[in-house]
């Protein structure tokens, strides 16, 4: 099995690149999606979050109010560290278990780990190749304003909790520049995918 680590900066378009890998036949494990599932009411992670942060992070229906939780944790690094300490170990456990099952079912498969904090996790994930998605800062900011309604101040605040994009790109085996057309991004992913498979398959 080939394991591709996929990461980037806020608003660079990791999901777009992940979708292109999926189109080529790779399985994609989305850490954010797994985390959302773990934070559903009744799950151990949900209960731990409420225990640590209190019921002020719950919405009217008893589910997590993600906006309230984000506002709480991105105010200072200590709160974010507490949240990641609750959620990320279980996300990692689930990803490892799923990769193991996939490898057992199909040893020749390719899996992409879409993990925003992949490099910040300092070796928590074993990958055969690292792909970093980049985009011009103004392009990423425009996407975030349209997608999430974030102000420039909010974008900068959240970005401070991740490594600088240049630092991530410097460590990459492959960089996908996702600042232009979807077709341009697709062509890059096709080249990267082909090269990884060629290099990693005996």
């Amino acid at each position: 099995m080939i394991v591709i680590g996929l990461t980037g900066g806020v608003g660079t378009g990791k999901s777009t690149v992940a979708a292109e890998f999926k189109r080529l036949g790779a399985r994609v494990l989305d850490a954010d999606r797994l985390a959302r599932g773990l934070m559903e009411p009744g799950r151990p992670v949900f209960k731990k979050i409420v225990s640590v942060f209190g019921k002020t992070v719950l919405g009217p229906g008893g589910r997590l109010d993600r906006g309230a939780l984000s506002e709480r944790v991105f105010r200072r690094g200590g709160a974010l560290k507490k949240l990641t300490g609750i959620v990320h170990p279980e996300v990692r456990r689930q990803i490892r278990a799923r990769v193991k099952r996939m490898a057992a079912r199909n040893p020749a498969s390719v899996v992409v780990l879409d993990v925003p904090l992949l490099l910040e996790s300092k070796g928590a994930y074993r990958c055969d190749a690292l792909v970093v998605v980049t985009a011009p800062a103004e392009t990423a900011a425009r996407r975030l304003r349209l997608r999430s309604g974030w102000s420039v101040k909010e974008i900068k605040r959240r970005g401070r909790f991740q490594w600088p994009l240049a630092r991530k790109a410097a460590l990459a085996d492959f960089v996908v520049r996702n600042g232009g057309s979807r077709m341009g991004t697709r062509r890059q992913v096709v080249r990267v995918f082909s090269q990884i498979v060629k290099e990693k398959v005996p």
Side-chain angles (χ1 to χ4, degrees), residues 17-182:
V17 173
E20 292 300 330
F21 276 114
K22 186 175 181 179
R23 192 183 67 84
L24 294 170
R27 298 287 300 276
V28 176
L29 293 179
D30 184 333
D32 281 345
R33 183 174 296 177
L34 288 172
R36 287 193 292 271
L38 293 169
M39 291 189 283
E40 286 295 312
R43 301 291 295 271
V45 166
F46 170 88
K47 294 177 181 178
K48 182 67 172 176
I49 291 172
V50 176
S51 173
V52 171
F53 293 98
K55 293 185 177 181
T56 57
V57 298
L58 295 179
R63 305 173 75 87
L64 281 177
D65 181 333
R66 298 186 187 282
L69 182 60
S70 294
E71 179 62 27
R72 182 88 172 268
V73 301
F74 283 106
R75 265 187 266 168
R76 55 186 182 275
L80 181 61
K81 188 174 181 180
K82 287 180 182 178
L83 180 63
T84 57
I86 296 168
V87 178
H88 288 194
E90 183 60 21
V91 170
R92 288 194 292 268
R93 190 192 69 77
Q94 287 211 8
I95 286 177
R96 288 168 182 161
R98 293 183 186 210
V99 168
K100 186 176 180 179
R101 288 197 298 270
M102 290 177 185
R105 287 196 298 265
N106 182 6
S109 60
V110 178
V111 61
V112 173
L113 308 185
D114 181 356
V115 183
L117 298 178
L118 182 73
L119 288 169
E120 291 87 343
S121 298
K122 298 179 181 178
Y125 299 93
R126 183 199 67 80
C127 301
D128 298 301
L130 173 65
V131 177
V132 171
V133 184
T134 68
E138 60 273 16
T139 301
R142 183 176 68 251
R143 290 170 179 164
L144 291 168
R145 286 196 300 270
L146 292 173
R147 186 187 74 192
S148 305
W150 293 356
S151 65
V152 173
K153 182 179 178 180
E154 181 66 14
I155 293 168
K156 289 181 178 179
R157 181 171 69 158
R158 295 191 181 222
R160 286 198 297 269
F161 293 97
Q162 292 191 14
W163 286 8
L165 188 55
R167 181 181 178 186
K168 294 184 179 184
L171 295 171
D173 297 303
F174 302 94
V175 173
V176 173
R177 293 173 174 80
N178 188 32
S181 68
R182 179 67 177 256

